[in-house]
Amino acid sequence: MTQKIGFLGAGRMASAMISRLLEKGYQVRVWNRSADKVAPLAAKGAIACVTPADAATGVDAVISFMADDTAAETVWLSNSGAVSTMEPGTVAIECSTLSHGFVLELSAKINANGCPYIDAPVTAIPAQVAAGETMFLIGADNAVLDRVRPIMDAVANRIIHFGPIGSGTVYKLMNNLLGAVHIAAAAELVAVAQKAGLDGKLVAEAFTNGAVASRVGVMTIPGMISGNHKEGVHFTTALRAKDAGYAMWLADELGLDLPVGRSATEMFDRAIEAGLGDLGQSAVLETIRGK
């Protein structure tokens, strides 16, 4: 029997995953804070829900894609949160990028209600998710993961199981901090190249085909060179700053000093202070230009 899924969130990544699950024949109940984002999914067959609790009613698993710890706590644990209607045994799959300490607290509270928890952040862009090319970074009990593996296989081309709850988040936070470092360094490259009068197209070509190219750098350098930080946005400056900040919290938990990560995080924090949070990550360049 096809498993029924409750889904919390309908942002870019969530909508791509929901669309993929619907294509694979899953029944999906969807809640989102802004109901207008659910309408296109309802047109594809999803059931629109008015509360997280409604979305979590009568399903086998609940998947969440939230922006941060505060939003995740609300959709899971508030009076109208998913846990209030989840039957014992319903699996909670948390795909949001959250702080490590909060993941441990949240999972303990959900487990206490008889619902097994899977720490399941992802690394992909929406187009990859829609194409079934999601990579899950898992922290969970083996038996729990096996129960929902068919759901994950429907949207993923790779599932990496790092260990117990929290371990998937450890990798995801450091992965996203590394992305912040790459973008910050690429911004410095572009700022210097432009100040020195180099041709932007040649700079992008040289970087893309060079030995130090990274995927996130290749994706963000065009926006840095053009100065257009609004087109093709799949991840905002604010989200990168949040993830980098959570990664630094993790380093503090572990008693480690990360000077390179701290520098990149501070650059993104300056971008937020400058009002660039809703723009694409390429906007971090403006902190160097002084705009």
Side-chain angles (χ1 to χ4, degrees):
M1 182 179 295
T2 301
Q3 292 169 303
K4 297 179 181 179
I5 302 168
F7 219 105
L8 311 177
R12 296 182 185 94
M13 293 286 284
S15 291
M17 187 172 288
I18 293 165
S19 295
R20 177 75 178 182
L21 289 167
L22 291 170
E23 290 172 5
K24 291 294 182 177
Y26 284 92
Q27 298 178 43
V28 186
R29 301 174 62 84
V30 184
W31 170 87
N32 188 68
R33 185 176 59 182
S34 301
D36 59 309
K37 291 186 178 180
V38 180
L41 299 168
K44 296 179 181 180
I47 300 171
C49 298
V50 296
T51 64
D54 184 20
T57 300
V59 298
D60 301 291
V62 179
I63 301 174
S64 170
F65 261 107
M66 291 291 112
D68 54 28
D69 292 358
T70 301
E73 182 173 32
T74 298
V75 299
W76 287 112
L77 302 176
S78 68
N79 290 337
S80 60
V83 172
S84 67
T85 55
M86 288 169 66
E87 297 177 3
T90 304
V91 181
I93 305 173
E94 181 52 89
C95 294
S96 314
T97 302
L98 307 174
S99 69
H100 180 256
F102 177 72
V103 164
L104 299 182
E105 293 175 6
L106 177 65
S107 61
K109 292 176 181 178
I110 292 177
N111 284 335
N113 281 272
C115 299
Y117 182 100
I118 296 183
D119 172 27
V122 303
T123 177
I125 61 175
Q128 291 174 311
V129 175
E133 298 172 357
T134 303
M135 180 188 294
F136 283 103
L137 312 170
I138 301 295
D141 179 81
N142 278 313
V144 178
L145 177 58
D146 287 343
R147 285 179 53 190
V148 296
R149 191 174 287 273
I151 294 174
M152 293 187 167
D153 284 340
V155 297
N157 63 358
R158 184 166 295 179
I159 299 171
I160 302 178
H161 188 188
F162 286 97
I165 292 171
S167 56
T169 287
V170 168
Y171 181 82
K172 178 61 187 292
L173 291 178
M174 296 315 300
N175 178 80
N176 282 20
L177 180 62
L178 181 59
V181 170
H182 286 187
I183 295 167
E188 293 181 343
L189 164 66
V190 172
V192 171
Q194 289 184 330
K195 191 73 171 182
L198 274 61
D199 181 273
K201 291 183 179 179
L202 293 179
V203 170
E205 179 184 351
F207 177 81
T208 299
N209 294 286
V212 298
S214 65
R215 290 183 182 179
V216 70
V218 170
M219 286 191 292
T220 52
I221 275 187
M224 293 179 189
I225 290 172
S226 69
N228 185 346
H229 309 303
K230 297 181 180 180
E231 291 186 7
V233 177
H234 67 269
F235 205 72
T236 64
T237 296
L239 286 175
R240 181 67 66 176
K242 180 266 296 183
D243 291 355
Y246 284 171
M248 297 307 295
W249 289 2
L250 172 61
D252 288 343
E253 288 176 19
L254 299 174
L256 295 172
D257 179 35
L258 307 180
V260 177
R262 182 172 62 253
S263 180
T265 301
E266 289 171 354
M267 185 181 290
F268 274 89
D269 287 342
R270 288 197 297 274
I272 299 303
E273 292 171 2
L276 306 173
D278 291 335
L279 300 179
Q281 300 170 93
S282 57
V284 75
L285 171 68
E286 306 304 334
T287 65
I288 303 173
R289 286 175 170 165
K291 294 183 179 179

